Amino acid sequence: GDVRGRARLRKMVWVKIRAVAAASETQQLAAVGNTPTFGEWEPGSALKFRRVDEMMFEAVVEISEAELRQTRYKYVLVSKDDPGRACWESGEDRVVLFEPGQTVVVQEDSLVTSVFGDGVKFEKGPTDYTGAQDSTNGA
């Protein structure tokens, strides 16, 4: 039975995060946190969201259950006009709520009352904040 136990340690989870946010057309939304999938607190490597509606953003990512359990994150807004600065969400870190053994998790976050700070410079990384974010074109 211990082969199954080892496989369970590497179990992957599909996470869909839906975030409601009053972001302007020129702002990109991303989640940045303490684990590799969330950029290890570096906005340049953060998980970027796509805009699916005026105030609805979503991101889908596959992550190991172990990493997900440790993940703490906050949202950042990055202006396409000033892609080297991130406005950080204030308040407590967020966590993804899930049951052990779940293979698909949908997290609903509301940022409607969130307060974002002034832009803080960050190192450029693989996350592209200057490109298109609208997923509905041509769909």
Side-chain angles (χ1 to χ4, degrees):
D2 79 349
V3 174
R4 282 180 63 141
R6 280 209 299 280
R8 197 176 301 132
L9 292 176
R10 287 196 308 276
K11 185 152 176 202
M12 300 302 285
V13 183
W14 279 103
V15 180
K16 177 189 233 177
I17 307 178
R18 295 165 62 86
V20 178
S24 74
E25 288 296 311
T26 60
Q27 288 175 315
Q28 303 262 28
L29 184 71
V32 60
N34 62 335
T35 52
T37 301
F38 287 81
E40 295 175 313
W41 294 123
E42 291 289 340
S45 304
L47 178 65
K48 194 172 84 171
F49 281 58
R50 63 193 185 103
R51 189 187 292 264
V52 292
D53 204 343
E54 189 182 354
M55 286 182 66
M56 177 66 74
F57 295 79
E58 65 181 37
V60 178
V61 68
E62 192 180 26
I63 185 171
S64 76
E65 195 175 285
E67 185 183 340
L68 185 58
R69 190 173 298 115
Q70 295 167 2
T71 296
R72 303 288 177 272
Y73 67 99
K74 286 183 182 299
Y75 283 97
V76 290
L77 285 172
V78 178
S79 169
K80 285 200 270 194
D81 310 327
D82 189 8
R85 284 178 187 276
C87 298
W88 288 72
E89 177 186 26
S90 57
E92 295 291 308
D93 293 346
R94 294 173 180 265
V95 296
V96 176
L97 301 173
F98 72 103
E99 298 289 321
Q102 262 185 279
T103 52
V104 178
V105 176
V106 178
Q107 168 95 351
E108 307 265 354
D109 286 339
S110 174
L111 283 67
V112 176
T113 59
S114 296
V115 176
F116 286 84
D118 293 332
V120 178
K121 274 196 160 67
F122 65 88
E123 293 286 312
K124 190 164 165 41
T127 303
D128 177 21
Y129 291 104
T130 56
Q133 65 173 357
D134 186 19
S135 63
T136 55
N137 286 351

